[in-house]
Amino acid sequence: MGLRDLAYGAYERRLAARIEPRRRPRHIGVIMDGNRRWAKAVGEQIATGHQRGADRIHDLLQWCEEAGVEVVTLWLFSTDNLNRPEDEVEDLLRIIEGAVRSLAETGRWRIRTVGALDLMPGDFSRSLKEITAATTENPGLVVNAAICYGGRKEIADAVRSLLCEHADRGTSIEELAEIIDVEHITEHLYTAGQPEPDLIIRTSGEQRLSGFMLWQSAHSEFYFCEAYWPAFRRIDFLRALRDYAHRQRRYGA
């Protein structure tokens, strides 16, 4: 171990010690951006970038456990990603299925898929449902795997689900218009019953949500990191937690 590694480890420990447990987020959302740019920067194939990004997930969840986080939402595949070249989409789905299976095989985390799996190939969707169903009794944090996810579609699906529920009850449109509120729609989101994300981290230097958790992020804090996702380090994660801990969350008050 060189001097640089020793200094890096000391800085990590100092960062971790300065983050008060009571000021740590319960739910973290992560926009794992930059796999393709990382691959280009190091002279690798795009699929290699996606695989390195998938490999990084285990590290992140370990760090989240150590920090006392309860829920992590990982944006693995967006609805916009369906527009990428067919061979890249095939590689992505293969890597995502392998990543979810790898997380499940640890026996440590409860994994849920959130997104429009009905838009994905049938074999892929069935496989994910089988893998995640086996994790429902696992201890540890809840991991939302956002696959074929788009924030606008989630809201549209929530409203559609709400309308169907009340149609089955025989509620008229006029009656529904009188009672519908924010809570009614929230109850039909993919993440219903979970705390809203306290902190959303996006890697690669981009400073936008791109449709991630549009409804749930109304009061979230955002942290934008320059590192590409495959190069995201524990020190980057701790800096995000430190930044979050220093924020004054007023919720509009």
Side-chain angles (χ1 to χ4, degrees):
M1 181 179 294
L3 288 176
R4 181 178 180 181
D5 293 328
L6 288 171
Y8 180 90
Y11 180 51
E12 262 192 358
R13 290 189 293 274
R14 191 161 63 250
L15 266 178
R18 290 179 177 176
I19 301 169
E20 297 180 43
R22 66 184 182 84
R23 295 186 64 81
R24 294 180 182 183
R26 293 179 63 197
H27 182 174
I28 294 179
V30 186
I31 304 174
M32 304 181 296
D33 195 19
N35 291 340
R36 295 193 294 181
R37 280 170 285 171
W38 177 88
K40 183 178 179 180
V42 300
E44 291 284 358
Q45 298 295 316
I46 289 175
T48 301
H50 291 312
Q51 184 61 61
R52 293 293 181 272
D55 295 341
R56 182 60 63 190
I57 294 172
H58 280 268
D59 295 330
L60 174 72
L61 297 184
Q62 175 68 40
W63 303 334
C64 286
E65 277 190 327
E66 293 169 357
V69 176
E70 299 173 18
V71 183
V72 181
T73 299
L74 307 170
W75 202 2
L76 298 174
F77 189 93
S78 75
T79 50
D80 292 336
N81 291 156
L82 291 169
N83 299 320
R84 291 186 177 182
E86 184 176 347
D87 57 344
E88 183 181 352
V89 171
E90 290 177 357
D91 285 336
L92 260 172
L93 298 190
R94 171 181 54 80
I95 291 167
I96 288 170
E97 182 177 346
V100 174
R101 188 180 301 279
S102 177
L103 296 178
E105 288 174 348
T106 67
R108 296 169 61 183
W109 305 305
R110 288 166 285 167
I111 305 168
R112 300 175 67 249
T113 54
V114 295
L117 285 184
D118 56 307
L119 299 180
M120 307 301 282
D123 290 346
F124 175 80
S125 298
R126 283 190 293 273
S127 179
L128 284 186
K129 290 175 182 177
E130 290 173 2
I131 293 168
T132 56
T135 71
T136 54
E137 300 301 320
N138 287 351
L141 53 82
V142 173
V143 180
N144 294 322
I147 300 169
C148 203
Y149 175 87
R152 289 177 175 177
K153 179 159 181 56
E154 178 180 24
I155 295 168
D157 285 349
V159 173
R160 185 180 301 108
S161 174
L162 174 65
L163 291 173
C164 289
E165 177 187 291
H166 282 273
D168 290 341
R169 294 180 184 177
T171 308
S172 70
I173 290 294
E174 292 77 15
E175 290 171 328
L176 182 57
E178 289 183 3
I179 64 172
I180 191 170
D181 57 18
V182 169
E183 284 69 29
H184 282 94
I185 295 175
T186 300
E187 290 168 0
H188 290 265
L189 295 172
Y190 302 148
T191 57
Q194 297 182 356
E196 293 182 343
D198 301 295
L199 172 65
I200 293 178
I201 299 170
R202 180 169 188 156
T203 58
S204 86
E206 303 293 349
Q207 298 189 21
R208 58 180 181 273
L209 285 180
S210 299
F212 183 62
M213 304 192 86
L214 291 177
W215 186 278
Q216 300 93 326
S217 65
H219 296 110
S220 299
E221 301 293 331
F222 305 114
Y223 183 83
F224 301 106
C225 175
E226 292 295 326
Y228 297 139
W229 173 247
F232 189 73
R233 306 163 300 170
R234 183 170 181 259
I235 201 166
D236 299 312
F237 176 73
L238 291 173
R239 284 170 175 164
L241 293 190
R242 179 186 62 183
D243 188 81
Y244 172 82
H246 290 163
R247 306 273 181 95
Q248 296 297 319
R249 306 189 72 196
R250 299 183 180 86
Y251 300 99

